[in-house]
Amino acid sequence: MDTNPSIGCIVTECQYHSASEDFCTLDKIMVGRTTQYSSNSKETDCESFIPKRDNYS
Ligand code: SF4
């Protein structure tokens, strides 16, 4: 998959992370809340995250 330069990401544990650069490879992602009302960045997260399969092997 191609790197999407519009979505920076350092979560290398995700199967959509670009292996070579700190970017996502998806065309778009969904960002959600981790609490009922988010008041800072720690209370948001990427809901498109899927762990790499090799994390379980
Ligand atoms: S899906 Fe989300 S967590 Fe995974 S690489 Fe893309 S931005 Fe990062």
Side-chain angles (χ1 to χ4, degrees), residues 7-11 14-18 23-26 28-30 46-50:
I7 305 176
C9 182
I10 61 167
V11 184
C14 180
Q15 73 175 49
Y16 297 122
H17 188 270
S18 168
F23 292 108
C24 184
T25 57
L26 294 176
K28 67 172 187 177
I29 61 169
M30 179 63 72
C46 177
E47 296 185 350
S48 301
F49 170 85
I50 294 179

Side-chain angles (χ1 to χ4, degrees), residues 18-48:
S18 168
S20 55
E21 299 175 274
D22 286 340
F23 292 108
C24 184
T25 57
L26 294 176
D27 291 336
K28 67 172 187 177
I29 61 169
M30 179 63 72
V31 176
R33 299 182 192 91
T34 60
T35 58
Q36 198 166 17
Y37 181 88
S38 297
S39 57
N40 60 66
S41 63
K42 291 184 175 64
E43 294 174 352
T44 68
D45 71 351
C46 177
E47 296 185 350
S48 301

